[in-house]
Amino acid sequence: MDPVAAALEKVAVRRPALIDLGLERVVRTLDRLGAPHRRLPPVFHVAGTNGKGSTCAYLRAILEASGARAHVFTSPHLVHYRERVVLAGAEIADDYFIAAINRVDDAAGADDLTLFETITCAAFLAFAETPADYLVLEVGLGGRLDATNVIEKPLAAVITPIALDHQNFLGHTLAAIAAEKAGVFRRGAPAVVGPQTPEAMAVFERAAQQLSAPLFAFGSAWNAWAENGRLIYQDEDGLSDLAAPRLPGAHQFMNAALAVAAIRAAGLPFTDELLSAGLANARWPARLQRLKSGPLVEALGDRSELWLDGGHNPHAARALAATLADMEERNSRPLILITGMQDNKDIDGFFAAFSGLASTVFAVQAAHSGARTPDDVAAAAERAGIPAYACGSLVEAASLAAGGGPARVLICGSLYLAGEVLRDNA
C-alpha cells in the first residue's frame, strides 16, 4: 500500500472520509499549527469544473520556465497521494507528508477533519516550511467552502469553464455552481475568468464588482484562439503569438490561454518566449495521454492507438469528442471506448457526446467504491445508440477491441479508472 494512504487510513478511523464542506474545522486546526496558510508564497488559486488540473500544469510550467520555484497542490491523485503536493518542483517525500499528516491529526483535536481537509492542512504546513516563489493551489470541490479557501489575498483567483457536476454539493444550476466557485474571489485581487456561459459569466461579473476585484474575463479583457498550430493570445497590452500547448486537444489551447491570462493579470513581466517555453513543456497525465507500453498496449496490438483520459462529465466528454473527431478527420480509424464511470456522474450526458462518433463501447468497472457495474455502463452506451459490451477487466476489454482491426481506442470516464491504468498497465 502507498505509505501515505496507510497513514491516512489510520487517521480515517477517527476522521470521516466523506465530503463535508466548510471552513471552521480547517481554520481552527491551521491556527493551532501556527497559521501556515498565512505564511505561503504568492498564490494562484484555481477553481472551476473542467480544466483546473491542466491550467495548474501550464501555470507551473510557465513559472518554472522563468526560473521560479513553484509549489503545487492538486487533487485527486492518480496513483500516489504524494502527487497532490509538489514542493518547489518535486513531489513531497512520503516521510515528510506522513509527519505533516500526523501533526495535523494531533492539532485537530476533537474536530473531525475530513480526509481532504487533513491533506490540505498537511500541504499548507509543507508549503509554509519549504521555500518557494509561488504556490499554484487547485480547489478541491466548489470554492466558497472548499478547504483551500483560507487564502487572504491570492495573486490571482482563476476560474476555468463551469459545467454541471457535483450538483448535490454545489447546486443544480450553472448560476448556483458559479456562485460557489466565485467564493475564491478576494477584495482587490484579480479575478481571472475563462470562457463561460452567459448565465455563469453574469454571476462572476457581479461577484467581482461586489468585491472591487479587477475582472479579467475571456471575451472582454482577453481573448485567445488557435491559428496555424499556434496559440494566439490578446489583451490590452497587445497580441502574443505563442507555442502550441503540449497537451493534445483543442480545449487545451483555452486552458493554456487561461494560464497566460492569469500570469498577465498578476502583473508578472514574462516574455512571449518564456510563456511559449512553459506551454510547450507542461505535463499532466491522463489528459489525452498516448499509452505506448504495458499489458493493455500488448493486448490491443501494435496496429491500434491507445489513449487515456480522466474526463468524467458531459462537458469534458464534448471536449474529448471534438478532439477525437478532429483526429478522425486527419487519420480515419474506428473509435472504440473502454469506459468505466462512478454512480454520481451523468452517464447519459457523457455518452451522448460520442453518439455517431464511437463505434463500440467496452464497459468496465473501476476498482473504487461507487463505481458503476459494467452492465450499467453498457446499458447507458446503448441508450446513446452505441453498441456496448460488459467486460470483466481492462485487459479483456483491450483484447476484444483488438478483434476488429486497427482502431483508435480511448479509455475514459473516470479519474479513478485512469489511475488504475497508470498504476497497473502503463
Side-chain angles (χ1 to χ4, degrees):
M1 176 185 279
D2 177 349
V4 177
L8 287 167
E9 194 171 88
K10 293 178 182 177
V11 170
V13 172
R14 297 192 297 115
R15 315 287 185 204
L18 49 75
I19 296 173
D20 184 14
L21 299 178
L23 296 176
E24 295 84 0
R25 297 180 299 270
V26 171
V27 170
R28 284 195 296 265
T29 300
L30 289 172
D31 283 345
R32 293 177 192 130
L33 290 165
H37 59 302
R38 297 192 180 95
R39 296 183 280 112
L40 301 173
V43 175
F44 289 93
H45 201 184
V46 182
T49 303
N50 290 310
K52 296 194 300 293
S54 297
T55 300
C56 288
Y58 290 120
L59 279 168
R60 174 187 175 181
I62 291 168
L63 293 169
E64 290 181 343
S66 76
R69 298 164 301 173
H71 293 329
V72 187
F73 182 71
T74 55
S75 61
H77 62 281
L78 292 172
V79 180
H80 302 291
Y81 271 98
R82 62 177 176 270
E83 297 168 25
R84 299 184 182 213
V85 182
V86 171
L87 298 179
E91 288 182 3
I92 189 171
D94 285 343
D95 289 349
Y96 186 20
F97 202 0
I98 291 167
I101 289 167
N102 289 334
R103 289 164 65 191
V104 169
D105 190 45
D106 289 342
D111 281 325
D112 285 333
L113 292 188
T114 67
L115 183 70
F116 182 75
E117 290 169 347
T118 299
I119 293 169
T120 303
C121 290
F124 282 150
L125 263 180
F127 293 145
E129 294 173 353
T130 306
D133 302 297
Y134 299 97
L135 166 59
V136 179
L137 182 66
E138 181 188 351
V139 166
L141 178 63
R144 181 175 64 92
L145 297 176
D146 184 74
T148 65
N149 199 30
V150 294
I151 306 303
E152 293 179 351
K153 187 173 181 180
L155 196 57
V158 185
I159 308 288
T160 69
I162 300 301
L164 294 176
D165 201 6
H166 299 293
Q167 290 98 310
N168 289 344
F169 298 100
L170 304 180
H172 294 273
T173 67
L174 289 178
I177 293 172
E180 292 296 318
K181 309 287 186 182
V184 301
F185 291 175
R186 291 293 186 270
R187 185 167 300 279
V192 186
V193 181
Q196 307 292 342
T197 64
E199 181 183 5
M201 187 63 81
V203 173
F204 293 130
E205 289 171 348
R206 287 195 299 272
Q209 184 177 32
Q210 289 168 0
L211 290 169
S212 298
L215 183 64
F216 206 64
F218 172 79
S220 54
W222 64 275
N223 213 323
W225 60 94
E227 185 175 293
N228 297 323
R230 293 180 65 80
L231 171 61
I232 309 302
Y233 172 89
Q234 187 173 31
D235 60 23
E236 64 179 11
D237 291 329
L239 185 141
S240 295
D241 184 352
L242 304 174
R246 179 188 180 94
L247 304 178
H251 55 292
Q252 291 294 353
F253 278 80
M254 199 53 65
N255 291 334
L258 181 57
V260 172
I263 294 290
R264 295 282 200 225
L268 303 185
F270 293 172
T271 65
D272 288 356
E273 289 75 19
L274 190 153
L275 293 169
S276 287
L279 299 183
N281 287 291
R283 295 178 181 274
W284 194 231
R287 275 70 179 180
L288 266 180
Q289 178 181 354
R290 178 78 182 270
L291 302 179
K292 297 184 178 181
S293 63
L296 292 181
V297 173
E298 293 172 8
L300 189 61
D302 58 9
R303 296 187 301 163
S304 295
E305 304 170 7
L306 184 59
W307 298 81
L308 176 67
D309 196 278
H312 51 262
N313 58 43
H315 185 272
R318 289 191 291 272
L320 275 173
T323 299
L324 289 159
D326 185 56
M327 289 182 182
E328 168 67 15
E329 190 173 313
R330 296 196 309 270
N331 179 18
S332 182
R333 287 189 166 196
L335 173 63
I336 296 173
L337 305 183
I338 297 176
T339 307
M341 295 192 73
Q342 298 298 106
D343 278 332
N344 61 349
K345 300 303 176 184
D346 180 0
I347 192 168
D348 290 303
F350 185 89
F351 280 123
F354 293 99
S355 179
L357 180 64
S359 65
T360 313
V361 170
F362 292 108
V364 297
Q365 183 171 1
H368 191 275
S369 61
R372 293 177 183 270
T373 67
D375 286 337
D376 285 346
V377 175
E382 293 276 4
R383 289 195 295 271
I386 310 171
Y389 306 91
C391 299
S393 69
L394 283 161
V395 171
E396 179 189 346
S399 298
L400 291 171
R408 181 169 291 117
V409 180
L410 172 68
I411 302 172
C412 61
S414 166
L415 280 168
Y416 298 115
L417 182 65
E420 187 177 329
V421 171
L422 292 177
R423 182 183 66 245
D424 298 335
N425 300 282

